[in-house]
Amino acid sequence: MAFSTKTFALALTATLGAFSAPALAQTAATPWELKPDTGYAYDKEGKTFSYKMGTNNAGELLKGAKKVPKGTLFFIGHNGQLYMRSGPYLEGDGKFKFGSDQ
């Protein structure tokens, strides 16, 4: 199974998007926990999946994979598309820059 970093990033974003409605109602950020030995995918139709991974072809999995930079924000746009953004997403006081106006 070929699984690129780009696919992984998309999968992470999709998973984050699945929880975006409850997250918007929260006032504080909550940790996003990913499980070891699990692959996350965002398919061509925009559906998300998780897969139990093994170690027999880990070398193939890492071919072409890239690390997701620290400070990356994943989100689903109004059009349902998965996006990622590197760069500041917190205000100086630690509040989410793109949060609600409340």
Side-chain angles (χ1 to χ4, degrees):
M1 168 175 84
F3 196 82
S4 71
T5 300
K6 188 173 182 179
T7 302
F8 181 71
L10 291 175
L12 292 178
T13 307
T15 304
L16 179 62
F19 299 130
S20 64
L24 291 176
Q26 297 175 358
T27 57
T30 55
W32 186 27
E33 296 183 35
L34 301 175
K35 299 176 190 173
D37 301 322
T38 303
Y40 302 90
Y42 180 64
D43 75 7
K44 294 178 182 180
E45 287 77 37
K47 295 178 185 175
T48 59
F49 297 92
S50 63
Y51 299 95
K52 177 71 175 153
M53 295 172 43
T55 57
N56 62 340
N57 57 354
E60 184 179 342
L61 174 68
L62 291 171
K63 284 182 186 176
K66 297 177 185 173
K67 292 181 183 179
V68 174
K70 292 180 181 178
T72 301
L73 174 69
F74 300 98
F75 60 97
I76 302 288
H78 289 290
N79 59 0
Q81 178 64 47
L82 179 64
Y83 292 92
M84 62 184 274
R85 170 194 164 113
S86 293
Y89 53 87
L90 297 177
E91 299 286 354
D93 60 1
K95 291 184 181 177
F96 185 57
K97 207 180 227 188
F98 308 103
S100 67
D101 296 332
Q102 299 175 7

